[in-house]
Amino acid sequence: MSAQRFSIPKTVVEVVFVSPVEPESLLRFLGHSHTSVRWFPTCHAALAFLHTHSAGVVISNVELPDGSWKDLLDALSCFKPPPNLIVSSLVADERLWAEVLNLGGYDVLVTPFEPDEVLRVTAGAWLAWQGELEKSSPPHNTETDPSPAERAAACGA
């Protein structure tokens, strides 16, 4: 069976990666697509960024220095629409996968990352978020759309 190629749309896709370890392989896999990966070592740092910048996909380690993927998922719920959360783990068994999906996460990626899997899951998560964004938003209007500060205030920042 030949490997399929999955492509990210031609617009810049913002991906936030939350992990105590810099995602060298993730940067390498997504660096050749139209994707910008922003790395943050903690939930707090990632959320501070998300209050002022838009991102449709968040990839998070299971455990983080200041919480877990569940804490991050809970915090992301205040965004409209919330970014899709992908959980990364060395061990991705059926229990973790079921828990992530049942609580509202998008998917699970096993580390070390596989290039085709990263592209497929990230593209799917971004496209799903983009679809939700289009459904929940009237046409873009810079005069009436909330500013980053207004979005942050809505999330209690």
Side-chain angles (χ1 to χ4, degrees):
M1 180 152 113
S2 65
Q4 289 184 336
R5 283 284 166 205
F6 297 93
S7 62
I8 302 282
K10 297 209 183 298
T11 58
V12 175
V13 176
E14 288 284 344
V15 175
V16 168
F17 185 72
V18 190
S19 169
V21 179
E22 189 171 5
E24 292 177 26
S25 63
L26 196 64
L27 292 170
R28 191 171 55 250
F29 300 152
L30 295 175
H32 300 293
S33 64
H34 292 67
T35 305
S36 172
V37 179
R38 306 287 180 123
W39 167 63
F40 300 94
T42 64
C43 293
H44 180 74
L47 290 168
F49 173 81
L50 288 168
H51 283 302
T52 58
H53 297 82
S54 183
V57 179
V58 175
I59 302 173
S60 172
N61 277 11
V62 170
E63 292 296 327
L64 299 162
D66 60 346
S68 72
W69 69 269
K70 292 178 195 176
D71 299 318
L72 192 55
L73 182 65
D74 186 50
L76 293 174
S77 68
C78 73
F79 295 96
K80 301 296 178 217
N84 281 318
L85 179 68
I86 300 167
V87 177
S88 65
S89 175
L90 282 168
V91 180
D93 57 17
E94 289 180 19
R95 183 201 56 78
L96 176 63
W97 183 76
E99 185 176 29
V100 169
L101 295 181
N102 285 328
L103 292 178
Y106 184 81
D107 207 341
V108 176
L109 286 172
V110 178
T111 56
F113 295 118
E114 292 291 326
D116 286 344
E117 187 74 0
V118 167
L119 287 173
R120 181 186 66 77
V121 172
T122 302
W126 187 84
L127 289 170
W129 177 80
Q130 190 67 27
E132 288 299 313
L133 184 65
E134 289 171 4
K135 283 194 301 189
S136 68
S137 299
H140 183 67
N141 182 340
T142 56
E143 292 179 18
T144 60
D145 285 354
S147 69
E150 291 168 325
R151 286 198 326 255
C155 282

